Every structure is written in structure tokens, then in C-alpha cells.
Amino acid sequence: MANVIIRPDWHIADKFITPEKAYLNRRLFLRGLGFTAGAATLLGASAPGLHAVEIPGATDLKKELYPAKRNPEFDPKWKLSDENEVFTYNNFYEFSTSKNAVVRLVKNFTTAPWPIEITGMIENPLKLDAGELVSMFPLEERVYRFRCVEAWAMIVPWTGFQLSKLIEKVKPTGEAKFVKFVTFNKPEQAPGMADKRYPWPYTEGLRLDEAMHPLTIVATGLYGRPLPKQNGAPVRIVVPWKYGYKSIKSIVRIEFTDKQPKTLWETMAPDEYPFESNVNPAVPHPRWSQATERMIDSGDRVRTQPYNGYAAQVAKLYPKS
Ligand SMILES: Nc1nc2c(c(=O)[nH]1)N[C@H]1C(S)=C(S)[C@@H](COP(=O)(O)O)O[C@H]1N2
Ligand SMILES: [Mo]
């Protein structure tokens, strides 16, 4: 780690504000459509929401709703990670444990139709298609930090809505204390599921108060488009103050319960991936430090923040720590 750059905080150097790589790629996309180099430069500069060419793994669920308006409360002016990295460097073990292979292996993954069930200790159980869920509440864009337990990180614009809105609609009963989330179970479409060492399907969970927190979202899109398959189409959960594995992809079931749910990662290795899993630079993973993280596009090393930078919003949920 000879070239480690520790930056004082999350205000990353200005030189990264227009990533050259993203700019060049956009130019290539547009040129492919027959734009001249000059026109491409103009369009690239003036229409950042323009998506002229399909990205790998693209989906089109309710695409007329994108891009959604960015919520000014979650627009911290950080430099976004290069979307080409975000779309091609993925943890999605149902497809592969190799991050760069996922985007290729999602080709036969079908995400429509996509039935979702909301069940358990609630007054208003629901069965609906992902498209109905995506249309149920107004969509907004939020720029969040995202921190994987493996010590890589990114800053991305998610589209979605607060999970609390859905929870208010289904009305948990007084007994409900936890929310369990379950991913699809389609081994015929997801080659990684042949690895029977993992307790498929992928499951995750939150305490009810964590699920109700305004930072917790149902994400339906990324970079102004419906979620690509490799990033968890058609809908996933995003919990920005916890390690990335809590942000479960491609969910089919949300269940309200009075017992702390067993998660896939906790079942595999409880001391490495416990249920709570709040980002904490002071607590190393048993096999590596969590003090710093590597930005996936620039490779910069930055200091990891308690609760991934969201302490002011969420520390009160954890009075004992
Ligand atoms: N169903 C499911 N959800 C998942 C995973 C997975 O393997 N399967 N990986 C998790 C991990 S470890 C991370 S870091 C993030 C990665 O999300 P991204 O590929 O969109 O960056 O997804 C999380 N959600
Ligand atoms: Mo992760």
C-alpha cells in the first residue's frame, strides 16, 4: 500500500468532478449513433441524463419514470463514481463470486414479470408485480455513499422511494420487530446458485426501526435509469450506513416478524458478517482492516467514516454503541 492517499473527508479532489473515462465513453456511444465529434461533445456536456446507447444488463421497467428528480436533501455535490465501473464491478453471488463476470452472466436472467409478496405481521398484506411497486410512490433520486465490507466504496445516484412509505401502507402489527428480505430463487437462470455451500436464496434483515429510517430506500433505478440486472433489478433495498451485503438485490418477498431473521451471510460466518453490520472503521473485519476504503473508479484510498458518514442521522438508533 505504498501509494495510499488518505483524504481528510469525503470532499474528493475536484480533478475527479468530470471523469475523463465517462466523458470519453459517452462520446463513443454518441459517435456510434452517427453524431459528429463536435455534436457529441455538445450533447455530452449539455445532456448528462441522455442515454443514447444501451448499457450492459439494462432493463426498461417503467422507463418513462426516469430520470426522477434529485431530492436536494440528498445532493451533497460529491463526485459520482464512474457509472461504467458501477455497472460492471458487482457482488451478486447468485451469478458469480467474480465481480467482473456478473454483468455477462445476467444475460438469461429475466426480471419481468416479477411477483413480489409483502407478508407476515402486517394488517395489509400485498401481492403485486415489481412494476406496480415501482409506480406506487413518487420516485426520487438520492446520491448516497456505498461501502462494501471488502473495503471498496462508491458514490452513486439511486432512484427509488423510502421503505417507510411502503411500511406505513402495509401497517405492521404491534408484534412486528424485524423485517426480512428474500431474493429470487431461480437456479436455472443464476449459475452461481449451483454452489450449494451457500444457503440460498439470499436473505437479509433489518430491525423495524432501521427499516423505517428515512435513509433506507427501495431502490428501483441507478444513474437515471431502471436498475440494471447486475445491480439488482427490478428492485432492491439500499441501507447506506451498513456494509453493502445488507443492501439486498432483486427481492421477491418482504416479511414482517417478531424474531431476528437469519441472513445468508450471518449463517455463513456470524463473526465476520453479523446481523447489525453498521460501517465502523474502528472495528476490523477478522481478516482485514476497515479503517480505509478504495474508491472503485479512481482507486483512491479514503478514510472510512463511522456509519459510512451517516452518523448524524443514524447514531441515535444505537444508543449502546
Ligand atoms: N441478492 C444479493 N444481493 C446482494 C449481493 C448478492 O450477492 N446477492 N451482494 C451484496 C454485496 S456484498 C454488495 S457489496 C452489494 C453490491 O451491489 P452492486 O453490485 O450494485 O454494487 O450488493 C449486495 N446485495
Ligand atoms: Mo459487499
Side-chain angles (χ1 to χ4, degrees):
M1 306 231 295
N3 296 319
V4 169
I5 307 166
I6 302 292
R7 295 185 190 282
D9 59 22
W10 275 84
H11 295 270
I12 286 163
D14 288 350
K15 67 173 166 149
F16 295 117
I17 280 170
T18 305
E20 185 69 4
K21 198 170 158 199
Y23 168 75
L24 284 173
N25 278 337
R26 191 175 298 128
R27 248 164 62 130
L28 289 174
F29 287 168
L30 289 161
R31 200 179 296 157
L33 288 181
F35 290 100
T36 66
T41 306
L42 266 174
L43 276 167
S46 64
L50 181 74
H51 297 302
V53 165
E54 286 279 284
I55 55 141
T59 64
D60 61 3
L61 187 66
K62 302 285 169 188
K63 64 169 185 265
E64 64 281 6
L65 300 177
Y66 298 86
K69 202 168 163 289
R70 189 171 293 176
N71 181 337
E73 281 186 59
F74 302 95
D75 191 7
K77 312 290 180 216
W78 297 319
K79 183 202 81 71
L80 300 180
S81 297
D82 178 346
E83 63 184 75
N84 299 298
E85 291 297 329
V86 177
F87 291 149
T88 56
Y89 183 87
N90 303 103
N91 269 337
F92 205 162
Y93 277 31
E94 286 86 338
F95 294 94
S96 175
T97 55
S98 159
K99 292 184 219 325
N100 299 311
V102 173
V103 65
R104 173 169 52 81
L105 294 168
V106 294
K107 279 216 179 71
N108 298 323
F109 176 36
T110 54
T111 59
W114 190 274
I116 298 178
E117 188 185 14
I118 303 170
T119 177
M121 295 171 165
I122 48 177
E123 285 175 29
N124 304 320
L126 276 178
K127 278 189 180 165
L128 73 183
D129 189 79
E132 296 171 87
L133 184 60
V134 168
S135 320
M136 205 156 164
F137 305 102
L139 298 181
E140 61 176 60
E141 188 172 76
R142 295 184 178 192
V143 173
Y144 277 177
R145 298 164 185 168
F146 187 96
R147 171 59 155 84
C148 175
V149 73
E150 298 162 333
W152 54 264
M154 58 189 187
I155 298 175
V156 298
W158 300 107
T159 309
F161 56 84
Q162 287 183 196
L163 177 58
S164 64
K165 293 190 184 174
L166 179 62
I167 296 177
E168 280 158 13
K169 190 157 182 126
V170 299
K171 293 202 168 65
T173 65
E175 297 141 284
K177 298 284 179 287
F178 295 92
V179 189
K180 176 181 178 179
F181 306 96
V182 184
T183 293
F184 68 87
N185 194 357
K186 300 180 182 183
E188 67 292 352
Q189 293 184 17
M193 296 184 80
D195 188 338
K196 298 299 177 199
R197 290 172 299 176
Y198 295 92
W200 309 113
Y202 194 105
T203 50
E204 257 306 336
L206 294 171
R207 295 185 338 213
L208 186 56
D209 62 335
E210 296 174 326
M212 283 295 293
H213 193 280
L215 283 172
T216 305
I217 58 171
V218 176
T220 66
L222 187 56
Y223 289 92
R225 348 159 153 263
L227 272 182
K229 295 181 195 178
Q230 62 276 20
N231 297 98
V235 290
R236 74 184 291 178
I237 302 295
V238 173
V239 195
W241 71 95
K242 292 178 180 282
Y243 289 119
Y245 54 86
K246 300 292 290 183
S247 292
I248 180 174
K249 293 175 169 180
S250 306
I251 55 170
V252 297
R253 195 150 65 91
I254 302 178
E255 186 185 331
F256 293 76
T257 115
D258 56 355
K259 291 183 193 64
Q260 182 173 304
K262 271 280 174 197
T263 73
L264 176 138
W265 283 111
E266 197 195 5
T267 306
M268 293 296 290
D271 5 309
E272 302 196 358
Y273 314 107
F275 183 83
E276 188 172 87
S277 289
N278 295 323
V279 173
N280 188 347
V283 177
H285 183 277
R287 292 180 281 130
W288 59 84
S289 165
Q290 294 292 24
T292 66
E293 60 208 39
R294 176 183 56 84
M295 302 308 293
I296 55 166
D297 53 350
S298 63
D300 279 2
R301 277 261 155 206
V302 299
R303 271 201 185 101
T304 291
Q305 305 289 309
Y307 301 102
N308 199 24
Y310 298 100
Q313 290 81 20
V314 303
K316 58 181 175 290
L317 295 181
Y318 311 99
K320 283 190 293 269
S321 38

